[in-house]
Amino acid sequence: MADITDTIRTEKSRTALSVQAGFLLAGLLLLLLAPFFFYPIFLMKLLCFALFACAFNLLLGYTGLLSFGHATFFGGAAYFTAYTVKSWGLPPELGILIGVAGAAFLGLVMGFFAIRRQGIYFAMITLALSQMFFFFCLQAKFTEGEDGIQSVPRGHLFGFIDLNNSTNMYYFVLAVFLVGILIIWRFINSPFGMILKSIRENEQRAISLGYSVARYKLGAFVMSAALAGLAGAVKSIVFQFATLTDVAWQMSGEVILMTLLGGIGTLIGPLFGAGLVVALENYLATSEFPVTIITGIVFMVCVLIFRRGIIGEFYASRLGRKLGFVYRR
């Protein structure tokens, strides 16, 4: 009897893995073919913000830390990349690496102070430090104030791939996006990620087991900042500018909205949430009805109906469980 039960479970597991692999391949194929059916700039914006939301979810969904200051890393990396590419004449790949390094450094500094507090105090410290960086960007000469850094050249990737071609630019952004998602997946499924989840569930128990909780939190904060910076750096190359909008507190609020809509603690939830918000902003931009009101209504509906987020509710549903998805939040 036990052997029969084990066999049935094994078959269900194989079926679930096959279904998930099918979804993954279908999604990858859709991304590869998307620029032939949709406007490439819209798709690149979606990918940048999807990576940004996933980076934020790494901190909120898997560590339980709510940051109101992630615009610092997104916008800071955008400024660093835009300035080095335009003023120093660096190739785009080096500019992006500098932007990521700058975002990681900002994450190290901000995280050093923020992780000493918990809950709402943690969130308020990140917001305060983010606003300090916003006013620094407003006053600093290299950011060019309210005008921002404009006319950033896309250049040639590795010296021979012309990024001024929209198709080339799209597939470069797609490659960066996939690498970022792979890093996040590996991170959350590593022993380090398991410890982060234990800290989220019961921090005192993690401390009693001998883990240095502060170090793990700081590590997650820096990793999240670096990946958010990667999204911001690529975005500055795509749109060829970096402005104060990228470092404003509204940007931090927007990424929180994306993550909550999709479902925190899920890998593809923030992708879906980012896609929903960016699509609303894009297709309702010419509407007379304010986009922010429509976005707010969508958020209210999702909070009332989808308490776990749209993807989170799907994972927790009977169909989601049959397909092998697990919602552990």
Side-chain angles (χ1 to χ4, degrees), residues 17 58 73 99 107 129 133 175 179 206 214 222 228 230 234-235 253 281-282 303 319:
L17 288 174
L58 181 63
F73 318 126
L129 293 174
F133 186 75
V179 169
V222 173
L230 178 61
V234 173
K235 179 258 177 191
E281 291 178 350
N282 183 73
V303 168
L319 176 60

Side-chain angles (χ1 to χ4, degrees), residues 116-176:
R116 299 172 184 272
R117 294 293 181 266
Q118 297 179 350
I120 190 63
Y121 303 104
F122 173 89
M124 290 298 101
I125 288 175
T126 57
L127 177 61
L129 293 174
S130 178
Q131 286 300 100
M132 289 175 61
F133 186 75
F134 171 84
F135 287 110
F136 166 77
C137 292
L138 180 63
Q139 299 295 329
K141 291 184 178 181
F142 83 96
T143 62
E144 300 184 25
E146 295 182 354
D147 294 330
I149 303 176
Q150 302 182 24
S151 302
V152 178
R154 287 184 176 178
H156 290 73
L157 184 67
F158 305 124
F160 65 93
I161 301 176
D162 186 9
L163 294 183
N164 292 300
N165 182 292
S166 295
T167 302
N168 293 343
M169 188 72 226
Y170 171 78
Y171 285 112
F172 169 63
V173 175
L174 177 60
V176 172

Side-chain angles (χ1 to χ4, degrees), residues 44 79 90 114 142-143 148 195 205 273 283 301:
M44 288 186 276
Y79 272 120
L90 294 181
F142 83 96
T143 62
I195 295 171
R205 181 173 293 179
Y283 290 108
V301 171

